Amino acid sequence: MAQKPLRVLACGDVEGKFDVLFNRVQAIQKKSGNFDLLLCVGNFFGSTSDAEWEEYKTGVKKAPIQTYVLGANNQETVKYFQDADGCELAENITYLGRKGIFTGSSGLQIVYLSGTESLNEPVPGYSFSLKDVSSLRTMLCSTPQFKGVDILLTSPWPKYVGNFGNSSGEVDTKKCGSALISTLVTGLKPRYHFAALEKTYYERLPYRNHIVLQENAQHATRFIALANVGNPEKKKYLYAFSILPMKLMDAAELVKQPPDVTENPYRKSGQEASIGKQTPALEEESACQFFFDLNEKQGRKRPSTGRDSKSPHPKQPRKPPQPPGPCWFCLASPEVEKHLVVNIGTHCYLALAKGGLSDDHVLILPIGHYQSVVELSAEVVEEVEKYKATLRRFFKSRGKRCVLFERNYKSHHLQLQVIPVPFSCCATDDIKDAFITQAQEQQIELLEIPEHSDIKQIAQPGAAYFYVELDTGEKLFHRIKKNFPLQFGREVLASEAILNIPDRSDWRQCQMSKEDEETLARRFRKDFEPFDFTLDD
């Protein structure tokens, strides 16, 4: 007989509000049936009176469910956790310990790490260190058959957890949280990771633990941060879920990817950061900046100060590779037709396509010289994504969806083509079918890749490729091995199935006078200005 999944509750900072928590748990169990255990992260004890706790400690009151808690996060509450290895604090309430692995009778594996990050020695009794993180990873990851753990409990958030994911609200995950926990998570690959301390609820989109097309599929990780118990804003502080221990799961079911899965937020160019680094996740790199006065409203750009200006040892900005000769798209180059430039950011700019498929066919281009998306630094990638999202909103307001494609073949400077398609023309599925059909006719292997995948995980720098990104986030990818039709993307979009303008499939047949181009550029700038994120300070 198959084992039933365990029903688990996870909770954020209790802060001494035991009655509020346990009364809520009782109400949930009365309505939905009993749960197997309650896991508490963050501050279990608060600065309130001990009178309420004494009732649980002496047995006057009893927790209605087996409850497991993490240790102190500050000096004030260290007194409640006398045994570093864990102990029973009251009936049905157990302190797990400073760090370790708890395996239940069901086989469910829970890894826990109490306290906040400390980089100083000796480590305070309410903190963890690099040694603690290293020992946990070694304890688990050293066995060849290790695949991951079911649940990870920490009090702080992992740094960078918001990368590639949905918004984390007011919490800036590039500044808040623990870099050591980011490293721990990367190694342990938990199916669920719970944290607290930021007094807000954030359920990140699940992220994958493998590199697409380079590694075997692995299970996804779900990160959930919980708010504090009884908060007046009624933010979510209890999270209910069912889980079957991974050791009991069918392998194919375990690695099944959720439809909204994203890239791993802690990876850099597909490589895990080293455990020995103090900041073991993404490092930001600056690129050369070039600014031009287009005699429009382009003079209000925010200054480029570098991302980590507070660092005691700031890195020297790394210049992007220099073009081997004249480049038509490096913004500093005299070859650039600057009258086509319609918007300039910090690392990228927008320009009307010369001989565009439509009057609002634009290109997203890096200011410095990069050949492809794969070679972009993290800062440039971030701004490319901003431009993508902004253009999607802009075109949607005008009754259009946009299709993006890049051809990294017989080109020297990245040109991310953005072509708007009126909603009235066709649906996204029709566009997708048109690309696949024409690819098959020309014996081009066009693969569908996961929606939130990063091209950097699939193609190596210098590799030739073609990829299409639809407005739904779906992506089609072709690894170019030899001859590839240079106008393929345009031909598909110009076909009868989509825009029905086959005579415009070759850009050279669509060129117009400089005066007409200037008129189109002025019109685009004016229409785009309400959506222009580069005007924000």
Side-chain angles (χ1 to χ4, degrees), residues 354-356 504 506-513 517:
K354 196 167 186 67
R504 297 183 68 86
D506 188 332
W507 72 272
R508 288 166 293 193
Q509 305 301 317
C510 307
Q511 293 189 72
M512 58 180 67
S513 68
E517 289 175 338

Side-chain angles (χ1 to χ4, degrees), residues 27 65 72 203 216 284 330 338 391 398 411 459 510 524:
I65 185 174
E203 182 171 1
N216 292 332
E284 305 290 337
C330 284
K338 293 187 175 62
L391 286 168
R398 306 173 76 80
S411 61
C510 307
F524 189 95

Side-chain angles (χ1 to χ4, degrees), residues 370-437:
Y370 293 91
Q371 183 169 328
S372 69
V373 164
V374 174
E375 297 178 1
L376 297 180
S377 69
E379 284 182 326
V380 184
V381 168
E382 184 178 354
E383 192 163 278
V384 166
E385 293 302 319
K386 280 186 180 180
Y387 267 119
K388 284 184 187 178
T390 304
L391 286 168
R392 288 190 184 103
R393 290 195 301 272
F394 170 64
F395 286 125
K396 185 177 181 181
S397 74
R398 306 173 76 80
K400 302 176 183 181
R401 57 173 54 88
C402 58
V403 180
L404 298 91
F405 70 81
E406 178 197 2
R407 186 198 78 231
N408 183 33
Y409 175 70
K410 294 191 176 180
S411 61
H412 299 289
H413 189 111
L414 166 62
Q415 304 159 54
L416 193 55
Q417 309 269 345
V418 185
I419 298 91
V421 177
F423 291 143
S424 57
C425 279
C426 55
T428 302
D429 285 346
D430 297 326
I431 299 173
K432 181 178 175 181
D433 290 344
F435 270 100
I436 292 173
T437 300

Side-chain angles (χ1 to χ4, degrees), residues 91-359:
E91 188 174 358
N92 271 1
I93 303 177
T94 301
Y95 164 47
L96 287 166
R98 292 283 296 274
K99 68 176 187 295
I101 307 153
F102 174 81
T103 304
S105 57
S106 63
L108 187 75
Q109 197 172 49
I110 302 171
V111 176
Y112 54 90
L113 180 64
S114 292
T116 56
E117 177 180 317
S118 174
L119 300 175
N120 300 317
E121 293 289 348
V123 178
Y126 53 86
S127 296
F128 58 84
S129 66
L130 177 61
K131 288 181 181 178
D132 294 316
V133 171
S134 298
S135 65
L136 266 178
R137 280 184 56 137
T138 303
M139 192 186 310
L140 284 156
C141 305
S142 55
T143 56
Q145 65 272 25
F146 176 76
K147 295 180 180 178
V149 299
D150 290 305
I151 299 172
L152 173 63
L153 305 178
T154 65
S155 287
W157 292 27
K159 203 170 186 180
Y160 310 109
V161 69
N163 287 354
F164 311 126
N166 48 315
S167 171
S168 52
E170 297 178 357
V171 179
D172 185 348
T173 61
K174 292 183 179 179
K175 296 178 181 177
C176 297
S178 164
L180 289 180
I181 289 179
S182 304
T183 302
L184 180 65
V185 177
T186 305
L188 296 189
K189 302 173 186 174
R191 294 164 64 199
Y192 284 87
H193 177 193
F194 294 96
L197 297 185
E198 300 294 341
K199 299 189 182 302
T200 192
Y201 169 68
Y202 172 49
E203 182 171 1
R204 191 203 185 279
L205 290 172
Y207 62 84
R208 63 177 64 89
N209 284 294
H210 63 277
I211 303 175
V212 178
L213 302 183
Q214 293 186 32
E215 297 176 335
N216 292 332
Q218 299 180 46
H219 60 269
T221 293
R222 299 175 186 274
F223 171 76
I224 298 106
L226 294 160
N228 47 313
V229 170
N231 65 86
E233 298 86 4
K234 299 190 182 303
K235 295 178 182 177
K236 189 170 182 175
Y237 64 83
L238 266 178
Y239 185 91
F241 66 108
S242 297
I243 184 169
L244 190 66
M246 69 162 55
K247 63 185 296 183
L248 302 177
M249 291 184 67
D250 174 73
E253 185 65 26
L254 176 64
V255 302
K256 190 175 181 181
Q257 301 294 294
D260 53 353
V261 70
T262 78
E263 278 307 305
N264 190 307
Y266 314 115
R267 289 189 187 273
K268 178 183 177 183
S269 301
Q271 299 297 321
E272 292 182 8
S274 167
I275 180 77
K277 293 185 179 179
Q278 181 173 320
T279 307
L282 299 177
E283 294 177 2
E284 305 290 337
E285 295 173 333
S286 298
C288 285
Q289 307 307 320
F290 304 97
F291 297 90
F292 290 85
D293 179 6
L294 298 181
N295 298 317
E296 294 287 334
K297 295 184 179 179
Q298 303 290 341
R300 292 180 278 166
K301 305 302 176 193
R302 56 192 182 278
S304 173
T305 57
R307 183 165 297 276
D308 193 14
S309 57
K310 295 182 180 180
S311 170
H313 301 292
K315 292 172 108 178
Q316 288 296 110
R318 193 185 76 175
K319 294 183 178 181
Q322 298 304 304
C327 178
W328 289 97
F329 299 104
C330 284
L331 197 48
S333 171
E335 280 78 15
V336 171
E337 296 193 55
K338 293 187 175 62
H339 67 282
L340 292 173
V341 177
V342 293
N343 188 267
I344 302 177
T346 306
H347 305 285
C348 304
Y349 71 99
L350 287 184
L352 287 183
K354 196 167 186 67
L357 277 168
S358 60
D359 289 348

